[in-house]
Amino acid sequence: MKNKKLLIALGAVCLVNFIAHLCFYPAMPDTVPMHWGFDGQVDGWGPKYMILVTALIPAVILLLIAVVPKIDPRSENFQKFGGIYRGFLAGIVLFMCGISWLSELTVYNVLPDGSSLVGVLVSGGIGILFILLGNYMPRIKQNYTFGCRTPWALADEHNWNRTQRMGGIT
């Protein structure tokens, strides 16, 4: 039941995110910033419709991460670390919803071109996700989808546990 409520809530967030992008879409220029260099300078441009494509990415990620446990050969183990998986799902979907707004924020000069704020936001967000994931990796049970999936770890549960512990530290 927890999974269903979370999926509905995250689906609603993705829908609101997409509708909000649609509201800003008519006022956007024909060419919009799509990629930023490490120094914060826009170094990639794309057509206007790419804003809607990036707005769909969180929903696609939500769909993929929700379906994967159902097709994993060791799907019963997902029940043992369901809280971690749900937390990862919520974190990555919300982070990608935030990232989808970088183009609009740059066009409206909320994120000025050349400031390193884009790099700080993206790198900081990914760093926080990695720190949280590394902290919880030792609790991930053996599966073919989520965690450090090396051949020796998938072959033996003891190796899996040690690999996840080392992967979390790394």
Side-chain angles (χ1 to χ4, degrees):
M1 188 53 102
K2 290 179 186 176
N3 286 342
K4 196 172 269 190
K5 287 181 182 179
L6 178 68
L7 292 176
I8 291 170
L10 289 175
V13 167
C14 290
L15 182 64
V16 167
N17 182 48
F18 188 75
I19 291 170
H21 279 285
L22 280 175
C23 291
F24 283 97
Y25 185 76
M28 298 305 287
D30 290 336
T31 311
V32 294
M34 295 305 300
H35 190 269
W36 293 260
F38 191 70
D39 60 352
Q41 294 286 338
V42 176
D43 61 3
W45 297 84
K48 182 175 166 176
Y49 72 86
M50 287 303 291
I51 288 175
L52 298 178
V53 172
T54 58
L56 284 175
I57 291 174
V60 171
I61 290 173
L62 175 65
L63 182 65
L64 287 174
I65 294 178
V67 168
V68 161
K70 296 184 183 1
I71 60 174
D72 191 298
R74 294 198 177 149
S75 60
E76 69 278 354
N77 283 345
F78 277 88
Q79 306 306 324
K80 297 176 184 173
F81 64 93
I84 297 167
Y85 196 70
R86 287 189 299 272
F88 174 75
L89 173 62
I92 197 74
V93 168
L94 293 175
F95 177 71
M96 291 307 296
C97 282
I99 293 297
S100 71
W101 283 95
L102 290 178
S103 292
E104 282 95 340
L105 293 174
T106 302
V107 166
Y108 291 115
N109 288 324
V110 176
L111 295 174
D113 192 28
S115 76
S116 60
L117 191 57
V118 172
V120 170
L121 291 173
V122 173
S123 299
I126 291 172
I128 290 170
L129 286 174
F130 274 137
I131 288 169
L132 291 173
L133 186 59
N135 190 36
Y136 290 105
M137 275 188 76
R139 298 184 193 168
I140 297 172
K141 300 302 177 199
Q142 205 173 19
N143 67 84
Y144 286 90
T145 306
F146 192 61
C148 296
R149 301 163 300 126
T150 58
W152 57 86
L154 290 170
D156 180 49
E157 189 169 352
H158 177 71
N159 285 341
W160 174 270
N161 293 333
R162 292 185 64 163
T163 302
Q164 299 315 303
R165 190 170 349 138
M166 187 62 190
I169 293 168
T170 306

